[in-house]
Amino acid sequence: QKEVEQNSGPLSVPEGAIASLNCTYSDRVSQSFFWYRQYSGKSPELIMSIYSNGDKEDGRFTAQLNKASQYVSLLIRDSQPSDSATYLCAVMNYGGSQGNLIFGKGTKLSVKP
Amino acid sequence: EAGVAQSPRYKIIEKRQSVAFWCNPISGHATLYWYQQILGQGPKLLIQFQNNGVVDDSQLPKDRFSAERLKGVDSTLKIQPAKLEDSAVYLCASSLPRKASYEQYFGPGTRLTVT
């Protein structure tokens, strides 16, 4: 059973702080990793994708991947109240002819003004 | 660029009734997915299409769920008969063809309540 694990939270950080969201996955052959943001009552929105070990930065977001430890994280710098949402980690492996995404349950982030 | 379109946005039915959801993917996206998201859970893949062919339907409850993608564009997901546990948000997503990008983009979803 391929699994993606996330701490459900809620994770509460003050405005302006760094929020750190973590995710582990069970399938060692996974090759692509994604972070989605989901506001309450809305659909998931892709915010980051990462495919190789190391860091990938996009504005205030940094995704970090460590395939040896089967660990992927998302850092949000200068957190804003508008970042309050559930963050979903998704992992893709290329079994069969196409890749399928497996999602974690999400971590709820609350940024306090 | 227009996003993934879905309709209806909300649906309330009684158990044992049938319901259908419609999805129009982003233009040029050959791969289309249907997900089920139960409250407090991450989305779970139900079925994946590549053009108008089924790639993966291993998690689709085929005794009650069916899906089709005629002409490789729009898709319809049907539930017949519905059960209480089918209450969830049904999300449609699309992506570019394989080897171009595996990034999936979601539509607004259809919130189904079965009473």
Side-chain angles (χ1 to χ4, degrees):
Chain A
Q1 181 79 4
K2 299 166 186 172
E3 294 183 342
V4 177
E5 300 287 342
Q6 293 182 258
N7 187 325
S8 62
L11 173 66
S12 184
V13 300
E15 184 175 356
I18 296 175
S20 178
L21 304 163
N22 304 315
C23 172
T24 59
Y25 58 94
S26 63
D27 191 350
R28 185 169 291 277
V29 301
S30 298
Q31 298 183 6
S32 300
F33 307 86
F34 306 87
W35 284 98
Y36 285 82
R37 177 175 62 199
Q38 188 170 29
Y39 292 113
S40 180
K42 302 294 185 182
S43 62
E45 173 193 8
L46 180 65
I47 54 172
M48 289 288 284
S49 58
I50 186 166
Y51 303 97
S52 55
N53 280 328
D55 294 0
K56 179 181 178 182
E57 187 175 318
D58 184 359
R60 295 187 296 111
F61 299 100
T62 299
Q64 300 175 317
L65 174 61
N66 184 325
K67 289 186 178 181
S69 300
Q70 295 176 235
Y71 176 92
V72 58
S73 65
L74 179 70
L75 300 178
I76 306 174
R77 290 183 300 281
D78 188 23
S79 295
Q80 300 297 309
S82 59
D83 294 326
S84 298
T86 296
Y87 289 80
L88 297 165
C89 174
V91 173
M92 178 178 286
N93 63 64
Y94 302 145
S97 60
Q98 297 290 336
N100 289 331
L101 277 182
I102 299 172
F103 283 85
K105 292 183 178 181
T107 297
K108 187 172 184 178
L109 173 66
S110 177
V111 181
K112 304 295 186 184
Chain B
E1 178 181 81
V4 177
Q6 290 188 248
S7 68
R9 294 294 309 278
Y10 305 91
K11 191 74 176 179
I12 300 173
I13 62 173
E14 296 182 351
K15 60 183 179 183
R16 291 187 289 274
Q17 287 187 323
S18 62
V19 64
F21 312 125
W22 173 83
C23 172
N24 181 253
I26 293 172
S27 179
H29 282 197
T31 309
L32 184 148
Y33 313 79
W34 283 102
Y35 289 86
Q36 179 192 60
Q37 186 174 24
I38 293 172
L39 188 65
Q41 306 281 323
K44 183 186 83 170
L45 180 71
L46 293 175
I47 189 167
Q48 178 184 354
F49 292 94
Q50 174 74 16
N51 295 309
N52 61 349
V54 175
V55 173
D56 185 349
D57 63 357
S58 58
Q59 297 191 87
L60 186 73
K62 298 180 186 63
D63 58 334
R64 299 184 300 107
F65 286 64
S66 64
E68 61 182 8
R69 190 183 184 196
L70 299 177
K71 301 180 182 179
V73 181
D74 295 3
S75 177
T76 303
L77 176 70
K78 297 179 181 177
I79 307 175
Q80 182 180 12
K83 292 185 175 182
L84 295 176
E85 59 260 35
D86 298 332
S87 293
V89 176
Y90 290 84
L91 296 162
C92 180
S94 69
S95 67
L96 285 167
R98 185 173 179 240
K99 297 182 181 178
S101 170
Y102 289 100
E103 295 179 349
Q104 297 183 21
Y105 298 90
F106 285 85
T110 297
R111 184 175 299 275
L112 174 67
T113 302
V114 182
T115 62

